[in-house]
Amino acid sequence: GNNSINAKLVLLGDMGTGKSSLVLRFVKGQFLEFQESTIGAAFFSQTLAVSDATVKLEIWDTAGQERYHSLAPMYYRGAAAAIIVYDISRMESFERAKKWVQELQKQGNPSMVTALVGNKCDLEDKREEARTYAEENGLFFMETSAKTAINVNDIFYEIARRLPRA
Ligand code: GDP
Ligand code: MG
């Protein structure tokens, strides 16, 4: 189609869950075992062709929101989409992810497309099930691995498909 959409997408979640790694995997097809901590916010622009639209995602990979919560609204303000990331092997990162869901439901843009992502699914012996939680909260859910690349493209394309059309 001829629809052209610009959308800000923000990544939220505990430090170390793999937010930067997911973006690096998606944007550059790379993975680093020792991904350096993000300083401030990194910005990437990626244009996706989906069946009925061309979607330009402005991806904000943030740091600091994990520790300095008061920074977070600055990141998600104006966002059309959010990816909330937890680490399937770290229960406390899933608890933190639920807090983000609640915060976005309260403060975020009500039409925001929100994905809950259980990253590091290559460590599957340590999985915590979140699918039911996601369904109950109107999120779409995927497990990903920035390491093996499983479902990484799918997350971003699924968001592009779900964004409201102009
Ligand atoms: P961030 O703080 O959320 O941005 O997390 P990073 O992207 O910096 O990743 C934290 C650590 O987890 C790094 O050592 C990554 O190499 C590792 N990591 C990220 N994604 C995966 C994954 O899918 N599988 C595994 N096994 N490790 C990962
Ligand atoms: Mg990071």
Side-chain angles (χ1 to χ4, degrees), residues 19-21 35-38 61-63 66:
K19 299 180 296 298
S20 298
S21 297
Q35 172 66 34
E36 277 176 50
S37 289
T38 316
D61 173 27
T62 64
E66 304 107 326

Side-chain angles (χ1 to χ4, degrees), residues 11-12 14 20 50 69 71 76 80 86 88 108 126 130-131 135 149 156 158 163 166:
L11 287 108
L12 298 170
D14 247 2
S20 298
V50 294
H69 195 106
L71 291 176
Y76 62 71
Y86 69 97
I88 67 150
K126 301 186 170 175
R131 191 173 300 278
E135 279 166 12
F156 291 91
E158 188 57 30
L163 284 168

Side-chain angles (χ1 to χ4, degrees), residues 51-106:
S51 58
D52 62 338
T54 301
V55 178
K56 185 177 173 197
L57 292 179
E58 293 149 17
I59 303 171
W60 291 83
D61 173 27
T62 64
Q65 41 91 7
E66 304 107 326
R67 234 181 290 185
Y68 305 105
H69 195 106
S70 54
L71 291 176
M74 188 175 81
Y75 292 131
Y76 62 71
R77 191 174 302 133
I83 299 180
I84 298 171
V85 184
Y86 69 97
D87 172 344
I88 67 150
S89 70
R90 275 181 49 231
M91 184 63 172
E92 66 273 23
S93 72
F94 179 50
E95 293 308 315
R96 190 72 195 84
K98 291 183 188 174
K99 293 263 164 37
W100 282 117
V101 171
Q102 285 168 4
E103 175 161 348
L104 291 185
Q105 285 172 346
K106 257 198 286 180

Side-chain angles (χ1 to χ4, degrees), residues 13-33:
D14 247 2
M15 197 178 302
T17 51
K19 299 180 296 298
S20 298
S21 297
L22 287 166
V23 175
L24 182 69
R25 171 59 81 185
F26 180 60
V27 172
K28 297 195 177 143
Q30 295 172 1
F31 176 76
L32 301 171
E33 286 288 346

